[in-house]
Amino acid sequence: MQEYLEFFQQNMIMALVWVALFVALIANIFKSANAAYKEVSAAQVTHMMNRENGIVVDIRSKDEFKRGHITDALHVLPSDIKAGSFGSLENHKSDPIIVVCKTGQTAQESANLLAKAGFEKVYLLKNGLVAWSEANLPLIKGKK
């Protein structure tokens, strides 16, 4: 035990970095475990769309949506979700809702808000449309 204390005293910066990384890892695990949504892969999204009447909600900008989106995806802006304006999505409260953005980072807040608004099954496409494209799955271009 004495050797560890000496090592940490001699390498204080490195020790603090490791402690910070450990704390960040634990916080990330805790946050994921307590999230109101679940992360799913591109394959799981296709299964939900084909077998469970899953609805894809694309929260990217209008221009990004026009450049390419998942088939039958609904375009809902994050500002609309924050305002509680869900449009036609309101009719699908018990269906799986898959929230999609470009990388999977910005969709987290929208997924949490949808879950808090009473949507029963909210999912997030892990790594967003980047993962969808890497899986060589199709994107529809142009206006829906």
Side-chain angles (χ1 to χ4, degrees):
M1 186 69 166
Q2 186 65 26
E3 303 93 26
Y4 294 120
L5 291 175
E6 287 178 29
F7 176 79
F8 287 125
Q9 289 173 346
Q10 293 172 358
N11 300 291
M12 186 65 77
I13 294 174
M14 185 171 62
L16 289 175
V17 168
W18 279 106
V19 168
L21 285 172
F22 182 73
V23 169
L25 177 66
I26 297 300
N28 190 23
I29 291 170
F30 182 75
K31 181 180 174 186
S32 295
N34 292 326
Y37 59 86
K38 292 181 182 176
E39 287 189 342
V40 291
S41 68
Q44 290 171 307
V45 170
T46 59
H47 176 80
M48 282 188 252
M49 290 173 63
N50 293 329
R51 303 269 162 91
E52 299 175 30
N53 198 30
I55 307 296
V56 175
V57 176
D58 194 321
I59 65 163
R60 297 173 302 143
S61 71
K62 189 175 184 178
D63 290 336
E64 288 177 317
F65 185 78
K66 283 182 181 178
R67 276 188 242 130
H69 58 272
I70 297 172
T71 304
D72 295 330
L74 298 177
H75 184 240
V76 181
L77 294 173
S79 58
D80 293 339
I81 293 173
K82 284 181 188 175
S85 174
F86 306 117
S88 62
L89 192 59
E90 193 73 41
N91 300 330
H92 300 282
K93 286 222 175 203
S94 61
D95 294 329
I97 304 294
I98 305 107
V99 185
V100 176
C101 67
K102 185 175 181 179
T103 62
Q105 298 300 311
T106 57
Q108 294 175 357
E109 181 182 2
S110 295
N112 273 325
L113 290 171
L114 287 171
K116 288 178 184 174
F119 289 88
E120 297 171 17
K121 303 172 192 168
V122 181
Y123 300 92
L124 177 73
L125 176 58
K126 187 174 184 173
N127 298 324
L129 282 181
V130 171
W132 187 266
S133 296
E134 286 175 355
N136 292 321
L137 294 167
L139 292 174
I140 305 298
K141 296 187 192 267
K143 203 169 191 177
K144 184 180 172 202

